[in-house]
């Protein structure tokens, strides 16, 4: 199904093509006119819209970033180095390629098919520390992974980098789909540079996930303390009321040192893997969301620049007026906020904007150009809504799009799949009916309810079932699952099944939507029945 652009009869073939066209025809002219790229972010290119979802790994040295990548892919990648000392001293983009190999940074930023061309602005000091590791791996068919240098403590390391580390990470953060911050549970520490990096990523909290790695090296009591300390530290740095999602585990393929929390680690790994697996499916909506954020910032930037231009004298006293306007930039923000009903959160950081403005010639700024702003307003009000419809259609057409291969395959099915043989799945591989183990004790209760013709009524069963203190909504579902023959009564097997499902729920497991075959009472298995909803 095509969605037609307002001004031309040419349809948007897909979301990627639509985003590229909207950016080139409506947003880029506004950015270019008001020098947006000098202040905030380089211009977007086609590769930024076409590239696979990217995952950015950030953390201090020896938190297990490179090992985490190796764990996901179950394969070494070119240029990989692992050790307790600071080993990864470069940004490494791990991407899919037919042949294994390395591409150096200077060659990488001139490749129009790669989304890294604008990194050229960070200079040779950075490009000498930037490489691409290409390899044939099924995980990389769906996502790319960015490994980063370990963040160190102290001022010396910050100075010796030779490039703005936080600015490079911010550049990547704007373009990736997921940012994973790794911490070492065994030696939790957040250095000054790491704090600075996290603050630089503040506008991308929606992409941010936290991994508390190497959690198998400490016992449960210590883990609780470390988890609490991490949440407290992150709360101070990120300074938002929302809690960042933290995944706890040991993300490598080695035996657990302290296996006390094995079930917790398995559940957390499963949740994190599901989050990563969903990235290809949500890539289009992420790119759309990032374009909307960029358009809102570009609008505000245009108002700021045109307002400063309007205040500048035509001939004399330009330098003094420039200093005055920079000093009073906060008042300009408030004025624009009131005049155009813009949220304070849409404005760029005041201090950073003041620093950037000091290096620009205000006389070269553009005045207000209503047509450019109207084009962006039209894009946000109309075109984005049309593209959103197309996003949903693409998602519906590719419902199974997910990351496959590597560690993702090991947890999907079979006896080592998460939750296999637990809760309602208990007894799935056994010949005997699993409910039969506790049936004698359930039978004692059953016969105290005075069954008639071997069955108890719903009212009689309810008196016993409510003793579990489970909500009526849950007990109602248990009744529907246990009343296998749908006659409104429970015989001794069905009553035992109801009590088994109550036990499953009380132990913290979810009830099945449909009664599994191994839980169907033996006397009912020959019947062709609808086993629940």
């Amino acid at each position: 199904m095509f969605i037609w652009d307002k001004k031309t009869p040419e349809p948007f073939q897909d979301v990627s093509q639509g985003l590229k066209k909207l950016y080139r025809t409506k947003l880029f002219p506004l950015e270019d006119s008001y020098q947006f790229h000098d202040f905030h972010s380089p211009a977007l290119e086609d590769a930024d819209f076409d590239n696979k979802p990217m995952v950015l790994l950030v953390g201090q040295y020896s938190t297990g970033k490179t090992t985490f990548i190796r764990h996901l892919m179950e394969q070494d990648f070119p240029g990989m180095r692992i050790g307790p000392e600071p080993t990864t001293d470069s940004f490494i983009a791990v991407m899919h390629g037919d042949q294994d190999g390395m591409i150096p940074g200077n060659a990488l930023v001139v490749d129009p098919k790669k989304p890294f061309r604008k990194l050229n602005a960070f200079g040779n000091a950075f490009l000498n520390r930037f490489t691409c590791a290409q390899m044939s791996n099924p995980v990389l068919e769906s996502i790319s992974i960015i490994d980063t240098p370990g963040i160190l403590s102290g001022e010396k390391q910050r100075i010796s980098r030779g490039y703005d580390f936080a600015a490079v990470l911010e550049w990547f953060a704007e373009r990736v789909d997921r940012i994973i911050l790794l911490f070492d549970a065994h030696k939790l520490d957040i250095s000054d540079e790491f704090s600075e990096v996290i603050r630089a990523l503040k506008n991308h909290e929606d992409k941010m996930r936290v991994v508390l790695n190497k959690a198998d090296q400490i016992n449960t009591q210590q883990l609780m303390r470390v988890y609490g300390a991490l949440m407290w530290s992150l709360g101070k740095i990120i300074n938002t009321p929302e809690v960042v999602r933290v995944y706890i585990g040991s993300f490598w393929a080695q035996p657990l040192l302290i296996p006390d929390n094995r079930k917790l680690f398995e559940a957390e790994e499963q949740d994190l893997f599901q989050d990563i697996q969903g990235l290809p499916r949500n890539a289009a909506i992420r790119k759309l969301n990032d374009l909307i954020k960029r358009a809102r910032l570009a609008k505000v930037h245009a108002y700021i620049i045109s307002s400063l231009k309007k205040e500048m004298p035509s001939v004399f006293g330009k330098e003094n007026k420039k200093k005055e306007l920079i000093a009073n930039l906060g008042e300009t923000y408030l004025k624009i906020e009131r005049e155009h009903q813009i949220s304070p959160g849409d404005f760029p950081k005041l201090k950073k904007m003041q620093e950037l403005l000091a290096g620009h010639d205000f006389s070269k700024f553009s005045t207000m150009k209503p047509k450019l702003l109207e084009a962006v307003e039209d894009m946000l009000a109309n075109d984005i809504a049309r593209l959103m419809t197309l996003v949903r259609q693409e998602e519906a057409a590719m419902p199974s799009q997910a990351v496959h291969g590597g560690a993702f395959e090991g947890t999907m099915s079979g006896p080592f799949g998460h939750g296999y043989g637990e809760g309602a799945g208990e007894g799935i591989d056994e010949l005997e009916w699993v409910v039969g183990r506790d049936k004698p004790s359930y039978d004692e209760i059953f016969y105290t309810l005075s069954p008639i013709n071997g069955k108890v009524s719903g009212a009689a069963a309810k008196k016993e079932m409510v003793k579990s203190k489970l909500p009526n909504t849950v007990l109602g579902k248990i009744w529907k699952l246990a009343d296998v023959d749908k006659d409104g009564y429970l015989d001794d097997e069905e009553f035992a099944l109801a009590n088994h499902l109550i036990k499953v729920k009380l132990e913290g497991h979810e009830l099945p939507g449909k009664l599994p075959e191994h839980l169907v009472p033996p006397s009912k298995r020959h019947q062709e029945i609808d086993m629940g909803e």
Side-chain angles (χ1 to χ4, degrees):
M1 184 174 180
F2 293 142
I3 294 178
W4 294 83
D5 184 54
K6 194 173 181 181
K7 293 184 180 178
T8 67
E10 186 183 346
F12 293 159
Q13 301 290 340
D14 54 45
V15 175
S16 178
Q17 186 250 4
L19 288 170
K20 282 186 272 190
K21 185 172 182 182
L22 287 180
Y23 178 71
R24 283 195 304 265
T25 59
K26 296 195 172 181
L27 184 53
F28 178 78
L30 181 75
E31 293 182 353
D32 191 46
S33 183
Y34 293 101
Q35 302 178 34
F36 178 87
H37 309 129
D38 294 338
F39 286 85
H40 302 290
S41 176
L44 298 176
E45 297 190 330
D46 286 355
D48 291 309
F49 298 103
D50 294 332
N51 69 305
K52 294 170 186 171
M54 292 194 289
V55 178
L56 177 69
L57 297 181
V58 183
Q60 296 183 184
Y61 76 92
S62 195
T63 52
K65 297 185 298 299
T66 307
T67 305
F68 181 85
I69 298 174
R70 194 214 171 289
H71 178 57
L72 287 185
M73 301 193 304
E74 295 184 343
Q75 186 180 349
D76 292 350
F77 58 88
M80 184 184 88
R81 289 174 60 211
I82 295 173
E85 75 284 2
T87 49
T88 304
D89 63 346
S90 303
F91 282 81
I92 302 176
V94 187
M95 307 181 80
H96 188 268
D98 293 331
Q99 292 183 332
D100 292 8
M102 302 282 289
I103 304 174
N106 282 289
L108 203 54
V109 295
V110 295
D111 185 349
K113 294 181 181 179
K114 297 280 194 298
F116 306 123
R117 281 160 61 97
K118 296 298 180 180
L119 283 169
N120 192 48
F122 292 103
N124 272 332
F126 166 70
L127 295 178
N128 290 336
R129 290 279 179 267
F130 179 44
T131 57
C132 174
Q134 283 194 327
M135 60 186 298
S136 179
N137 184 284
V139 173
L140 299 177
E141 290 175 5
S142 306
I143 59 171
S144 300
I145 307 171
I146 312 295
D147 194 9
T148 61
I151 298 169
L152 303 165
S153 305
E155 190 66 24
K156 182 186 173 189
Q157 287 84 357
R158 233 186 317 195
I159 294 169
S160 65
R161 286 196 194 277
Y163 60 90
D164 190 337
F165 182 68
V168 172
L169 282 178
E170 195 169 359
W171 186 94
F172 275 109
E174 288 178 12
R175 289 157 177 80
V176 301
D177 297 70
R178 186 67 73 236
I179 303 165
I180 297 180
L181 303 178
L182 282 101
F183 294 88
D184 185 343
H186 193 243
K187 50 178 194 292
L188 184 65
D189 172 47
I190 303 180
S191 68
D192 292 341
E193 188 180 24
F194 199 12
S195 299
E196 182 186 323
V197 163
I198 295 172
R199 290 191 187 97
L201 304 177
K202 191 177 185 309
N203 293 330
H204 307 284
E205 292 106 329
D206 56 323
K207 300 178 180 181
M208 208 179 287
R209 303 290 185 269
V210 174
V211 168
L212 186 58
N213 200 13
K214 306 185 183 181
D216 64 320
Q217 296 185 12
I218 55 178
N219 61 38
T220 305
Q221 186 181 21
Q222 291 170 325
L223 182 59
M224 288 175 64
R225 289 174 179 164
V226 169
Y227 179 80
L230 175 62
M231 297 302 288
W232 181 81
S233 300
L234 288 173
K236 284 181 66 181
I237 298 167
I238 299 176
N239 198 26
T240 57
E242 296 86 4
V243 177
V244 183
R245 175 66 164 101
V246 177
Y247 299 90
I248 304 169
S250 179
F251 295 92
W252 68 338
Q254 298 298 321
L256 299 175
L257 293 178
I258 301 176
D260 300 5
N261 299 302
R262 183 187 184 102
K263 280 198 173 183
L264 170 66
F265 298 161
E266 287 175 355
E268 293 285 280
E269 183 177 70
Q270 183 74 8
D271 287 352
L272 179 58
F273 281 6
Q274 285 178 353
D275 185 67
I276 295 172
Q277 282 184 296
L279 293 179
R281 196 166 49 250
N282 301 321
I285 200 76
R286 193 276 302 168
K287 289 170 184 171
L288 190 64
N289 185 54
D290 283 355
L291 189 72
I292 294 168
K293 283 200 288 187
R294 188 180 178 99
R296 290 167 71 92
L297 179 59
K299 267 178 54 188
V300 173
H301 179 77
Y303 286 129
I304 294 169
I305 296 300
S306 59
S307 177
L308 294 173
K309 171 69 174 178
K310 187 179 177 183
E311 297 293 326
M312 285 296 287
S314 55
V315 185
F316 300 110
K318 289 184 179 181
E319 198 59 37
N320 288 335
K321 186 63 177 177
K322 174 183 171 180
K323 289 177 182 176
E324 180 189 327
L325 287 171
I326 291 174
N328 299 326
L329 187 62
E331 294 176 17
T332 304
Y333 277 20
L334 289 172
K335 182 183 173 186
I336 295 169
E337 188 183 325
R338 287 194 300 268
E339 282 183 14
H340 302 284
Q341 289 82 48
I342 295 172
S343 167
D346 286 351
F347 286 82
K349 291 175 184 175
L350 183 63
K351 188 177 178 183
K352 185 181 177 184
M353 193 67 180
Q354 287 172 322
E355 291 172 0
L356 291 167
L357 284 168
H360 283 77
D361 183 354
F362 283 22
S363 63
K364 293 182 179 177
F365 285 170
S366 296
T367 54
M368 180 66 73
K369 297 179 180 177
K371 284 190 176 179
L372 292 179
L373 283 161
E374 284 170 13
V376 174
E377 289 285 2
D378 179 61
M379 181 188 88
L380 292 171
N382 301 307
D383 298 315
I384 293 296
R386 296 189 192 106
L387 270 181
M388 186 69 78
T389 305
L390 196 55
V391 167
R392 298 302 175 210
Q393 291 171 357
E394 285 192 3
E395 286 179 352
M398 297 183 291
S400 61
Q401 194 176 17
V403 182
H404 294 287
F408 298 101
E409 297 296 325
T411 59
M412 291 180 72
S413 59
F416 294 99
H418 178 65
Y420 187 90
E422 299 174 7
E426 184 185 356
I428 191 170
D429 293 330
E430 296 178 19
L431 295 175
E432 298 293 325
W433 188 40
V434 67
V435 181
R437 294 176 192 163
D438 300 316
K439 191 171 181 292
S441 60
Y442 298 146
D443 284 348
E444 289 180 17
I445 302 168
F446 178 76
Y447 289 110
T448 64
L449 300 177
S450 305
I452 299 172
N453 296 326
K455 296 189 175 186
V456 295
S457 65
K462 179 181 177 180
K463 289 178 183 176
E464 186 60 35
M465 291 171 70
V466 294
K467 292 178 182 178
S468 66
K469 300 181 182 178
L470 289 170
N472 283 349
T473 51
V474 175
L475 293 175
K477 184 173 183 180
I478 290 172
W479 172 271
K480 288 176 74 175
L481 290 168
D483 185 14
V484 179
D485 55 15
K486 308 299 180 198
D487 64 351
Y489 295 87
L490 299 182
D491 61 21
D492 61 325
E493 287 184 332
E494 291 172 325
F495 182 78
L497 174 59
N499 279 277
H500 178 77
L501 292 172
I502 287 172
K503 185 180 81 165
V504 165
K505 188 63 182 174
L506 290 175
E507 288 175 351
H509 302 286
E510 291 300 317
L511 293 172
K514 179 181 178 182
L515 190 66
E517 289 184 19
H518 71 279
L519 288 184
V520 176
S523 65
K524 307 285 193 298
R525 290 180 185 178
H526 66 281
Q527 303 173 17
E528 289 196 9
I529 48 172
D530 176 18
M531 295 180 294
E533 294 182 356

